[in-house]
Short mmCIF file of all heavy atoms in Angstrom, two decimals:
data_model
loop_
_atom_site.label_atom_id
_atom_site.label_comp_id
_atom_site.label_asym_id
_atom_site.label_seq_id
_atom_site.Cartn_x
_atom_site.Cartn_y
_atom_site.Cartn_z
N ILE A 4 9.69 -16.89 13.80
CA ILE A 4 8.33 -16.42 13.53
C ILE A 4 8.08 -15.09 14.23
O ILE A 4 7.51 -14.15 13.64
CB ILE A 4 7.30 -17.47 13.98
CG1 ILE A 4 7.41 -18.72 13.09
CG2 ILE A 4 5.88 -16.90 13.93
CD1 ILE A 4 6.52 -19.86 13.51
N HIS A 11 7.02 -7.34 10.18
CA HIS A 11 5.75 -6.96 9.56
C HIS A 11 5.11 -5.79 10.31
O HIS A 11 4.52 -4.89 9.68
CB HIS A 11 4.79 -8.14 9.53
CG HIS A 11 5.00 -9.06 8.37
ND1 HIS A 11 4.98 -8.63 7.07
CD2 HIS A 11 5.23 -10.40 8.32
CE1 HIS A 11 5.20 -9.65 6.26
NE2 HIS A 11 5.36 -10.73 6.99
N ALA A 114 -4.38 -11.89 -1.76
CA ALA A 114 -4.29 -13.30 -1.39
C ALA A 114 -4.85 -14.21 -2.47
O ALA A 114 -4.39 -15.34 -2.65
CB ALA A 114 -5.05 -13.54 -0.07
N LEU A 130 1.41 -21.52 -4.94
CA LEU A 130 0.04 -21.92 -4.68
C LEU A 130 -0.83 -21.66 -5.91
O LEU A 130 -0.69 -20.64 -6.57
CB LEU A 130 -0.49 -21.11 -3.49
CG LEU A 130 -1.84 -21.52 -2.90
CD1 LEU A 130 -1.76 -22.91 -2.30
CD2 LEU A 130 -2.24 -20.50 -1.83
N VAL A 144 -9.56 -19.75 2.88
CA VAL A 144 -9.03 -18.51 2.30
C VAL A 144 -10.13 -17.79 1.52
O VAL A 144 -10.30 -16.58 1.65
CB VAL A 144 -7.83 -18.81 1.38
CG1 VAL A 144 -7.45 -17.57 0.58
CG2 VAL A 144 -6.64 -19.29 2.19
N SER A 201 1.23 -7.44 -4.71
CA SER A 201 1.35 -8.87 -4.38
C SER A 201 1.57 -9.70 -5.64
O SER A 201 2.38 -10.64 -5.65
CB SER A 201 0.08 -9.34 -3.66
OG SER A 201 0.12 -10.73 -3.40
N ILE A 204 5.19 -9.32 -6.71
CA ILE A 204 6.09 -10.14 -5.91
C ILE A 204 6.07 -11.58 -6.41
O ILE A 204 7.11 -12.24 -6.54
CB ILE A 204 5.70 -10.09 -4.42
CG1 ILE A 204 5.90 -8.68 -3.87
CG2 ILE A 204 6.53 -11.09 -3.61
CD1 ILE A 204 5.37 -8.50 -2.45
N LYS A 208 9.35 -13.59 -8.38
CA LYS A 208 10.01 -14.56 -7.48
C LYS A 208 11.34 -15.05 -8.03
O LYS A 208 12.31 -15.22 -7.27
CB LYS A 208 9.07 -15.74 -7.23
CG LYS A 208 9.46 -16.59 -6.03
CD LYS A 208 9.29 -15.78 -4.75
CE LYS A 208 9.59 -16.63 -3.52
NZ LYS A 208 9.46 -15.84 -2.27
N ASN A 225 13.92 -10.03 -1.49
CA ASN A 225 12.85 -9.41 -2.30
C ASN A 225 13.17 -7.99 -2.76
O ASN A 225 12.39 -7.40 -3.51
CB ASN A 225 11.54 -9.39 -1.49
CG ASN A 225 10.93 -10.77 -1.34
OD1 ASN A 225 10.67 -11.45 -2.32
ND2 ASN A 225 10.73 -11.19 -0.10
N TYR A 285 8.49 -5.50 4.99
CA TYR A 285 7.60 -6.58 4.54
C TYR A 285 8.42 -7.73 3.96
O TYR A 285 8.18 -8.91 4.28
CB TYR A 285 6.61 -6.08 3.49
CG TYR A 285 5.80 -7.19 2.86
CD1 TYR A 285 4.64 -7.65 3.47
CD2 TYR A 285 6.22 -7.82 1.69
CE1 TYR A 285 3.90 -8.69 2.92
CE2 TYR A 285 5.49 -8.86 1.13
CZ TYR A 285 4.34 -9.29 1.74
OH TYR A 285 3.63 -10.33 1.19
N GLY A 286 9.38 -7.40 3.11
CA GLY A 286 10.23 -8.43 2.52
C GLY A 286 11.00 -9.20 3.57
O GLY A 286 11.15 -10.44 3.47
N MET A 287 11.49 -8.52 4.60
CA MET A 287 12.20 -9.19 5.68
C MET A 287 11.27 -10.12 6.45
O MET A 287 11.64 -11.24 6.81
CB MET A 287 12.83 -8.15 6.60
CG MET A 287 13.92 -7.33 5.93
SD MET A 287 14.47 -5.91 6.92
CE MET A 287 15.29 -6.74 8.28
N GLY A 288 10.03 -9.64 6.70
CA GLY A 288 9.08 -10.48 7.42
C GLY A 288 8.68 -11.70 6.62
O GLY A 288 8.61 -12.82 7.17
N GLU A 289 8.45 -11.53 5.33
CA GLU A 289 8.06 -12.66 4.49
C GLU A 289 9.18 -13.70 4.44
O GLU A 289 8.92 -14.91 4.43
CB GLU A 289 7.74 -12.18 3.08
CG GLU A 289 7.20 -13.30 2.19
CD GLU A 289 7.16 -12.89 0.73
OE1 GLU A 289 8.18 -12.43 0.21
OE2 GLU A 289 6.09 -13.06 0.13
N SER A 290 10.43 -13.24 4.43
CA SER A 290 11.55 -14.18 4.35
C SER A 290 11.67 -15.05 5.59
O SER A 290 12.29 -16.12 5.55
CB SER A 290 12.87 -13.41 4.15
OG SER A 290 13.26 -12.74 5.34
N ARG A 291 11.06 -14.60 6.69
CA ARG A 291 11.12 -15.38 7.94
C ARG A 291 9.87 -16.21 8.17
O ARG A 291 9.93 -17.24 8.83
CB ARG A 291 11.35 -14.43 9.12
CG ARG A 291 12.76 -13.82 9.13
CD ARG A 291 13.81 -14.93 9.22
NE ARG A 291 15.18 -14.47 9.08
CZ ARG A 291 15.90 -14.58 7.98
NH1 ARG A 291 15.37 -15.09 6.87
NH2 ARG A 291 17.16 -14.20 7.95
N LEU A 292 8.72 -15.81 7.65
CA LEU A 292 7.50 -16.59 7.83
C LEU A 292 7.33 -17.67 6.78
O LEU A 292 6.59 -18.63 6.99
CB LEU A 292 6.27 -15.67 7.82
CG LEU A 292 6.17 -14.66 8.97
CD1 LEU A 292 4.85 -13.91 8.90
CD2 LEU A 292 6.30 -15.35 10.32
N HIS A 293 7.96 -17.51 5.61
CA HIS A 293 7.94 -18.51 4.54
C HIS A 293 6.54 -18.84 4.06
O HIS A 293 6.25 -19.97 3.67
CB HIS A 293 8.65 -19.81 5.00
CG HIS A 293 10.06 -19.60 5.42
ND1 HIS A 293 11.06 -19.23 4.54
CD2 HIS A 293 10.65 -19.68 6.64
CE1 HIS A 293 12.21 -19.12 5.19
NE2 HIS A 293 11.99 -19.36 6.47
N ASN A 294 5.63 -17.89 4.12
CA ASN A 294 4.27 -18.09 3.61
C ASN A 294 3.80 -16.76 3.04
O ASN A 294 3.30 -15.90 3.77
CB ASN A 294 3.33 -18.56 4.73
CG ASN A 294 1.97 -18.98 4.18
OD1 ASN A 294 1.38 -18.29 3.37
ND2 ASN A 294 1.49 -20.12 4.64
N PRO A 295 3.97 -16.55 1.72
CA PRO A 295 3.67 -15.24 1.12
C PRO A 295 2.25 -14.75 1.39
O PRO A 295 2.04 -13.57 1.68
CB PRO A 295 3.91 -15.48 -0.37
CG PRO A 295 4.87 -16.62 -0.43
CD PRO A 295 4.51 -17.50 0.73
N THR A 296 1.26 -15.65 1.28
CA THR A 296 -0.12 -15.23 1.47
C THR A 296 -0.37 -14.80 2.92
O THR A 296 -0.99 -13.76 3.18
CB THR A 296 -1.09 -16.36 1.09
OG1 THR A 296 -0.86 -16.73 -0.26
CG2 THR A 296 -2.54 -15.93 1.26
N SER A 297 0.12 -15.59 3.88
CA SER A 297 -0.04 -15.23 5.29
C SER A 297 0.68 -13.92 5.59
O SER A 297 0.17 -13.08 6.34
CB SER A 297 0.50 -16.34 6.18
OG SER A 297 -0.26 -17.51 6.04
N SER A 298 1.85 -13.73 5.01
CA SER A 298 2.58 -12.49 5.23
C SER A 298 1.78 -11.29 4.71
O SER A 298 1.71 -10.25 5.36
CB SER A 298 3.94 -12.55 4.51
OG SER A 298 4.86 -13.34 5.21
N TRP A 299 1.19 -11.47 3.53
CA TRP A 299 0.44 -10.37 2.92
C TRP A 299 -0.74 -9.96 3.80
O TRP A 299 -0.93 -8.77 4.08
CB TRP A 299 -0.04 -10.79 1.54
CG TRP A 299 -0.76 -9.72 0.78
CD1 TRP A 299 -2.10 -9.63 0.54
CD2 TRP A 299 -0.18 -8.57 0.16
NE1 TRP A 299 -2.39 -8.51 -0.19
CE2 TRP A 299 -1.22 -7.84 -0.44
CE3 TRP A 299 1.13 -8.09 0.05
CZ2 TRP A 299 -1.02 -6.66 -1.14
CZ3 TRP A 299 1.35 -6.92 -0.65
CH2 TRP A 299 0.29 -6.21 -1.23
N VAL A 300 -1.52 -10.93 4.26
CA VAL A 300 -2.71 -10.58 5.04
C VAL A 300 -2.33 -10.09 6.44
O VAL A 300 -3.01 -9.24 7.01
CB VAL A 300 -3.69 -11.78 5.12
CG1 VAL A 300 -4.22 -12.12 3.74
CG2 VAL A 300 -3.04 -13.01 5.74
N LEU A 301 -1.25 -10.61 6.99
CA LEU A 301 -0.78 -10.11 8.29
C LEU A 301 -0.37 -8.64 8.17
O LEU A 301 -0.71 -7.81 9.02
CB LEU A 301 0.40 -10.95 8.77
CG LEU A 301 1.02 -10.56 10.10
CD1 LEU A 301 0.01 -10.77 11.23
CD2 LEU A 301 2.28 -11.39 10.37
N HIS A 302 0.34 -8.32 7.12
CA HIS A 302 0.76 -6.95 6.86
C HIS A 302 -0.46 -6.02 6.75
O HIS A 302 -0.50 -4.94 7.36
CB HIS A 302 1.55 -6.94 5.54
CG HIS A 302 2.15 -5.63 5.17
ND1 HIS A 302 3.20 -5.06 5.85
CD2 HIS A 302 1.86 -4.76 4.16
CE1 HIS A 302 3.53 -3.90 5.29
NE2 HIS A 302 2.73 -3.70 4.27
N VAL A 345 -7.88 -15.87 6.30
CA VAL A 345 -7.08 -16.07 5.09
C VAL A 345 -5.69 -16.58 5.45
O VAL A 345 -5.17 -17.51 4.85
CB VAL A 345 -6.98 -14.75 4.29
CG1 VAL A 345 -5.96 -14.89 3.17
CG2 VAL A 345 -8.33 -14.37 3.71
N GLY A 346 -5.08 -15.94 6.46
CA GLY A 346 -3.75 -16.36 6.87
C GLY A 346 -3.72 -17.78 7.41
O GLY A 346 -2.84 -18.57 7.06
N PHE A 347 -4.71 -18.12 8.26
CA PHE A 347 -4.76 -19.48 8.81
C PHE A 347 -5.04 -20.51 7.73
O PHE A 347 -4.41 -21.57 7.68
CB PHE A 347 -5.83 -19.55 9.89
CG PHE A 347 -5.92 -20.89 10.58
CD1 PHE A 347 -4.97 -21.26 11.51
CD2 PHE A 347 -6.94 -21.77 10.27
CE1 PHE A 347 -5.03 -22.51 12.12
CE2 PHE A 347 -7.02 -23.01 10.87
CZ PHE A 347 -6.07 -23.39 11.82
N GLY A 348 -5.96 -20.16 6.82
CA GLY A 348 -6.26 -21.08 5.74
C GLY A 348 -5.06 -21.32 4.86
O GLY A 348 -4.81 -22.43 4.39
N SER A 349 -4.27 -20.26 4.62
CA SER A 349 -3.06 -20.40 3.81
C SER A 349 -2.05 -21.32 4.48
O SER A 349 -1.41 -22.16 3.83
CB SER A 349 -2.42 -19.03 3.58
OG SER A 349 -3.31 -18.17 2.92
N ALA A 350 -1.92 -21.17 5.81
CA ALA A 350 -0.98 -22.01 6.53
C ALA A 350 -1.41 -23.48 6.51
O ALA A 350 -0.60 -24.39 6.33
CB ALA A 350 -0.86 -21.53 7.98
N VAL A 351 -2.73 -23.71 6.70
CA VAL A 351 -3.26 -25.09 6.67
C VAL A 351 -3.08 -25.69 5.28
O VAL A 351 -2.67 -26.84 5.13
CB VAL A 351 -4.76 -25.09 7.06
CG1 VAL A 351 -5.38 -26.47 6.79
CG2 VAL A 351 -4.90 -24.72 8.52
N HIS A 352 -3.35 -24.87 4.25
CA HIS A 352 -3.24 -25.37 2.87
C HIS A 352 -1.78 -25.72 2.56
O HIS A 352 -1.51 -26.71 1.92
CB HIS A 352 -3.75 -24.32 1.89
CG HIS A 352 -3.71 -24.76 0.47
ND1 HIS A 352 -4.69 -25.58 -0.06
CD2 HIS A 352 -2.83 -24.54 -0.52
CE1 HIS A 352 -4.41 -25.81 -1.34
NE2 HIS A 352 -3.29 -25.20 -1.63
#
Side-chain angles (χ1 to χ4, degrees):
I4 292 175
H11 277 305
L130 189 64
V144 170
S201 176
I204 295 173
K208 197 67 176 178
N225 288 304
Y285 173 85
M287 294 170 68
E289 186 192 53
S290 73
R291 290 300 173 258
L292 294 185
H293 302 293
N294 189 314
T296 302
S297 295
S298 284
W299 183 254
V300 295
L301 180 65
H302 185 70
V345 170
F347 183 75
S349 300
V351 170
H352 182 80

